[in-house]
Amino acid sequence: MPQAFLDLRQVRKEFGSFVALQGIDLRIAKGEFVCFLGPSGCGKTTLLRIIAGLEVQTSGHICQQQRDISLLPPALRDYGIVFQSYALFPNLSVADNVAYGLVNRKVARADSARRVAELLQLVGLPGSEKKFPGQLSGGQQQRIALARALATAPGLLLLDEPLSALDALERIRLRQELRTLQKELGVTTIMVTHDQEEALSVADRIVVMNHGVIEQVGTPLEIYREPASPFVADFVGKVNVIPARLSQGELRFGNMVLPHAGDDREVRVYLRPEDVLARPIAPGDLHVFEALIEKIEFLGSYCHVHVVSPALDLQRLVVYLSLNFLSEQSLQVGSRLALKLLPERIKVF
Ligand code: ATP
């Protein structure tokens, strides 16, 4: 990265004797949409709050556009923020909520009204100036919170689980709108989320965190296809974990033998459900094994099919099969089927 827009160096945070963040190093480019992803308590919100100046790091530095902001109070930093709970002022109209930051900056009334109208247009709620937060749905309130965060045209947009209080459909709609808007404005954005699908669908890069450290930083595809650790493989997407042995350049589990470099040791094979195929399997095909269907979870157009394989030491696996395939092949609980795994997709830890 030539020159980072935001540069975090060895950011550490202690709460008493508890270490919430351990030496975080991270560089974010101008215009990037970055998601902090991780389980509850991993430190993602604390890191966002430190970037916002709402929490002070125990040690380490933060530079935004080459300016050291490590000890600047929030008001002197250049960002807009949206929180999970709508955090709008209930007694102020939509217009006054959106204009809040502009009033503080002593923007003239007419200019402020023009800007509010423009922002409401931007977030898809034109003409809603006179309404009050209580008259709006959750999704509409978050659109207003977004308009308020963008009012002063900040260089950085911080989003702390902004979609998690919304229902599933609204969440998906708003995350796509957010992404489109972010691209259009080119505003560097950091969103905290514990929802992996959300991170995969909107981020340019995902920062996967666990126990106060960064486990991996990468594009959604890198994180999904090339997880750097068992934690990442497990946390992002579904995965089958199979005990195996590396011995003399071969990976062995059940009757499967695959060439694989590495020292002799016990390992675990990580294999995504979609990397086990039910077809096409041709005679003489390699890496095929038989399995018995134990359970079918119906999810609409496709199903999570739980199988057990005698050929793989009675290992249980989940594979994704289409409803059409299951009915064409008259497959049901108790049926046998041939599966083929994609050895190039296997990760060994
Ligand atoms: P969640 O998704 O649940 O919000 P998170 O990854 O955002 O999780 P943080 O809120 O950053 O996690 O918290 C990280 C850890 O620091 C947690 O164990 C939390 O209990 C602890 N923590 C956060 N704020 C404080 C505080 N003010 N005092 C003491 N401990 C805190």
Side-chain angles (χ1 to χ4, degrees):
M1 194 176 297
Q3 202 144 47
F5 178 85
L6 196 70
D7 196 347
L8 309 189
R9 296 275 164 98
Q10 285 298 303
V11 172
R12 180 180 174 87
K13 180 66 182 175
E14 296 164 10
F15 292 108
S17 61
F18 177 74
V19 181
L21 294 171
Q22 315 182 25
I24 300 288
D25 282 313
L26 181 65
R27 309 182 80 202
I28 295 176
K30 189 167 170 51
E32 256 194 309
F33 195 131
V34 169
C35 280
F36 293 171
L37 176 68
S40 182
C42 71
K44 49 197 191 301
T45 300
T46 301
L47 189 57
L48 192 85
R49 289 175 59 82
I50 286 174
I51 294 168
L54 300 172
E55 200 79 71
V56 181
Q57 64 283 2
T58 307
S59 58
H61 290 274
I62 306 154
C63 287
Q64 186 171 333
Q65 290 186 296
Q66 289 75 57
R67 182 168 73 127
D68 191 333
I69 59 163
S70 309
L71 296 172
L72 277 190
L76 297 181
R77 299 192 188 195
D78 173 27
Y79 70 86
I81 191 163
V82 178
F83 297 98
Q84 174 182 349
S85 53
Y86 316 120
L88 295 175
F89 303 110
N91 53 333
L92 294 186
S93 67
V94 162
D96 289 342
N97 264 287
V98 175
Y100 191 75
L102 301 173
V103 175
N104 281 349
R105 292 194 179 195
K106 303 194 167 55
V107 174
R109 257 187 108 78
D111 291 341
S112 171
R114 209 173 308 121
R115 178 75 179 140
V116 168
E118 184 184 300
L119 286 158
L120 291 177
Q121 179 78 38
L122 202 64
V123 298
L125 290 170
S128 57
E129 280 90 339
K130 293 204 167 70
K131 291 195 172 152
F132 281 82
Q135 296 171 294
L136 303 174
S137 72
Q140 289 170 331
Q141 290 188 49
Q142 278 311 59
R143 286 182 173 81
I144 301 300
L146 185 61
R148 184 175 63 179
L150 292 170
T152 58
L156 182 62
L157 179 62
L158 302 177
L159 307 167
D160 189 0
E161 305 243 15
L163 309 175
S164 60
L166 307 177
D167 68 54
L169 275 182
E170 183 63 2
R171 207 155 65 212
I172 292 172
R173 193 181 313 142
L174 197 47
R175 82 180 180 214
Q176 291 313 334
E177 286 180 27
L178 188 60
R179 177 56 173 160
T180 308
L181 188 62
Q182 186 271 342
K183 268 202 172 141
E184 209 175 291
L185 300 175
V187 58
T188 310
T189 300
I190 303 176
M191 177 163 82
V192 165
T193 179
H194 59 259
D195 181 338
Q196 36 142 325
E197 190 188 290
E198 196 167 288
L200 290 171
S201 73
V202 300
D204 290 313
R205 283 192 306 155
I206 299 176
V207 176
V208 185
M209 298 176 64
N210 188 26
H211 293 311
V213 299
I214 293 178
E215 291 261 344
Q216 187 172 4
V217 182
T219 64
L221 197 62
E222 282 164 357
I223 297 284
Y224 190 77
R225 280 275 170 84
E226 303 295 335
S229 64
F231 172 81
V232 176
D234 215 15
F235 189 73
V236 183
K238 284 214 175 345
V239 74
N240 293 298
V241 183
I242 309 169
R245 181 157 178 78
L246 256 179
S247 170
Q248 300 178 342
E250 285 177 337
L251 183 66
R252 294 172 175 271
F253 49 102
N255 63 8
M256 205 60 72
V257 183
L258 307 170
H260 199 284
D263 296 338
D264 292 5
R265 67 200 146 101
E266 301 296 320
V267 291
R268 283 169 187 271
V269 163
Y270 282 66
L271 185 62
R272 300 260 182 229
E274 67 273 25
D275 297 333
V276 183
L277 308 180
R279 66 172 177 186
I281 295 169
D285 234 353
L286 293 174
H287 316 120
V288 173
F289 58 96
E290 195 173 67
L292 190 72
I293 299 183
E294 282 195 318
K295 191 169 106 182
I296 298 176
E297 260 179 275
F298 175 61
L299 292 167
S301 63
Y302 75 104
C303 301
H304 287 184
V305 179
H306 298 245
V307 302
V308 58
S309 171
L312 300 184
D313 298 333
L314 294 178
Q315 173 71 42
R316 293 196 151 75
L317 300 173
V318 177
V319 298
Y320 297 160
L321 300 181
S322 77
L323 188 58
N324 286 343
F325 179 72
L326 287 171
S327 43
E328 270 166 29
Q329 307 285 319
S330 316
L331 292 172
Q332 49 193 297
V333 171
S335 301
R336 288 184 178 279
L337 81 165
L339 295 171
K340 172 186 166 69
L341 60 82
L342 299 175
E344 66 277 16
R345 289 285 169 75
I346 278 178
K347 292 284 152 235
V348 176
F349 292 110

